[in-house]
Amino acid sequence: MKEITIEELERKKKRECCIVDLRPREQYARGTFPGAICIPMEEFDKRKAELPKEKTICLLCHTGERSREYVEQLEKAGYDAVNIDGGYRSYLKLSLSRYMEKESEEKRQEKTKEIERSIIKKYRKSIWRPFTKALNEYQLIQEGDKVAVCISGGKDSMLMAKLIQELQKHGKIPFEAVFLVMNPGYNADNWKIIQDNAKLLGIPLTVFESRIFDTVAGIERNPCYLCARMRRGYLYAKAKELGCNKIALGHHFDDVIETILMGMLYSGKIETMMPKLHSQHFAGMELIRPLYLIKEEAIKAWRDSNGLHFIQCACRFTENCVSCGGGRGSKRDEMKALIAQFRNTSDVIETNIFNSVRNINLRTVIGYHKDEEYYNFLDDYEVR
């Protein structure tokens, strides 16, 4: 199979090739290789006849992995097709690196200030206020805390880092923050994107490494679950070593209501993702979720209006996952789609899903349990 690098593609004469972006339309709309047309994977079979046989067809997916099978399809159909090595991720890394090299330090600092101002002004109602409301309502950050702000490199954790930075500047409660990044074995492109974005956003990273990806590489059953547990354990341990008493994770409002629905539909129970938790294995440590009341659509709007591009799925073993433009969706993806349908039906349903786990009437449930305490409505039915 023929492959072409991003640099080689840039040098290739435009009239000689047709660049096809196979990613979902939403991702294509946010950015693509100049001149590329969008034919999402799910439409490819029906639309491949539209492609010109007199040109070299260059296929682009997120990582350069999924696009290979479509190159093979075109070759069998008689096309001259090539795969773009590294996919859009490589183009993003190259573009971001060039921007960081080209722009002066003064311009980069102004861009950082512009991003910060957008949080306080343009997105005050949809981001800053829900952020401060969650902090106050759930008492997430208190005087004297030292918080390890855990950054994965995606939009959520990067926004969380900026919010906590702004809180340190403008808030009334004195606390410390460490912007903690663990490299569990990231793809080199992803790792470069994380570092460049942190520099652009003015986030001073504290970096440590682990070999978690190598550890879970041979696991066939639930590798993602094991990876997530291991990463959290490493983050707790490093945060405690640095003198922190809390770790902050970037879960947002949509994550919360998706968890409620997954519990009901697939586990037969009512539970949710809590705004804060005591660690069971690291004494004196807490987990907090500062984005708890911020909707994902607001995070995306902030990202897009500032022209920011963050990594999606950083795991090098999930190159075929749905977030990278192919593969089967997860249960959480099902919940996202279900909630999207609800939004089209009513603008209060998602809020009501959230409220359902904080307005529980124990007189109208058949049973509940708290730790080892179990209750059935028949226990005191006759004495009511």
Side-chain angles (χ1 to χ4, degrees), residues 66-79:
R66 286 279 287 161
S67 49
R68 287 177 178 152
E69 62 184 85
Y70 293 89
V71 170
E72 291 178 356
Q73 284 185 33
L74 289 179
E75 287 178 333
K76 290 177 181 177
Y79 288 87

Side-chain angles (χ1 to χ4, degrees), residues 88-289:
Y88 181 72
R89 185 172 62 188
S90 287
Y91 175 68
L92 177 58
K93 184 196 79 168
L94 184 63
S95 300
L96 189 54
S97 295
R98 286 172 175 171
Y99 172 84
M100 299 301 288
E101 292 170 2
K102 181 181 70 174
E103 295 297 335
S104 66
E105 183 63 27
E106 183 179 348
K107 285 189 176 181
R108 286 203 299 269
Q109 288 180 3
E110 181 53 39
K111 177 65 175 177
T112 302
K113 291 177 182 177
E114 181 183 319
I115 293 168
E116 293 169 349
R117 283 194 296 268
S118 73
I119 292 173
I120 302 297
K121 294 183 177 180
K122 184 175 182 179
Y123 294 101
R124 188 175 192 84
K125 183 177 179 180
S126 60
I127 290 179
W128 182 252
R129 286 179 183 170
F131 168 65
T132 55
K133 181 181 179 181
L135 294 180
N136 295 327
E137 188 167 330
Y138 304 118
Q139 301 176 18
L140 299 184
I141 297 178
Q142 297 168 315
E143 184 174 345
D145 280 344
K146 186 172 182 180
V147 183
V149 184
C150 301
I151 298 173
S152 65
K155 67 184 190 314
D156 308 326
S157 62
M158 285 293 193
L159 173 60
M160 177 177 66
K162 289 309 298 177
L163 286 169
I164 289 179
Q165 272 192 332
E166 290 302 293
L167 184 67
Q168 284 187 299
K169 293 177 186 177
H170 307 293
K172 298 178 181 179
I173 298 174
F175 69 98
E176 294 182 64
V178 176
F179 300 96
L180 191 60
V181 178
M182 177 181 63
N183 183 353
Y186 286 143
N187 173 286
D189 287 345
N190 276 335
W191 185 230
K192 186 68 168 62
I193 292 169
I194 291 171
Q195 292 174 307
D196 283 345
N197 272 324
K199 188 174 182 180
L200 177 62
L201 293 171
I203 300 170
L205 300 181
T206 297
V207 177
F208 73 103
E209 295 190 358
S210 71
R211 306 312 307 169
I212 291 176
F213 286 175
D214 288 340
T215 302
V216 302
I219 304 296
E220 294 184 4
R221 187 176 178 82
N222 295 328
C224 296
Y225 174 77
L226 176 62
C227 182
R229 285 184 62 88
M230 290 180 67
R231 279 186 291 158
R232 190 169 296 184
Y234 272 92
L235 289 168
Y236 267 124
K238 187 63 178 180
K240 190 162 188 177
E241 177 188 318
L242 294 171
C244 300
N245 64 314
K246 293 179 178 178
I247 67 169
L249 300 184
H251 298 116
H252 48 64
F253 180 85
D254 293 60
D255 293 320
V256 177
I257 61 175
E258 288 159 17
T259 300
I260 296 169
L261 288 181
M262 281 195 296
M264 293 174 63
L265 300 180
Y266 286 103
S267 299
K269 54 188 177 183
I270 297 176
E271 62 182 14
T272 191
M273 186 179 280
M274 298 296 286
K276 64 179 181 180
L277 293 167
H278 288 292
S279 172
Q280 296 180 346
H281 304 292
F282 295 87
M285 295 289 293
E286 279 186 276
L287 180 156
I288 63 172
R289 294 184 167 106

Side-chain angles (χ1 to χ4, degrees), residues 4 16 87 104 109 151 173 184 187 200 256 267 284 303 308 310 317 322 358 361 375:
I4 187 171
E16 297 176 355
S104 66
Q109 288 180 3
I151 298 173
I173 298 174
N187 173 286
L200 177 62
V256 177
S267 299
R303 173 198 65 191
L308 299 169
F310 301 113
F317 303 113
V322 69
R358 63 176 185 176
N361 183 351
Y375 169 82

Side-chain angles (χ1 to χ4, degrees), residues 1-4 18 44 51 55-59 67 70-76 78-84:
M1 178 188 299
K2 292 186 291 185
E3 291 203 317
I4 187 171
C18 175
F44 191 81
L51 300 175
K55 293 186 177 183
T56 299
I57 310 300
C58 305
L59 296 187
S67 49
Y70 293 89
V71 170
E72 291 178 356
Q73 284 185 33
L74 289 179
E75 287 178 333
K76 290 177 181 177
Y79 288 87
D80 177 25
V82 298
N83 186 51
I84 300 175

Side-chain angles (χ1 to χ4, degrees), residues 21-29 38 40-42 322 324-326:
D21 192 330
L22 299 168
R23 298 175 303 146
R25 293 186 183 280
E26 179 191 359
Q27 294 177 23
Y28 171 84
C38 181
M41 292 180 188
E42 62 271 17
V322 69
C324 298

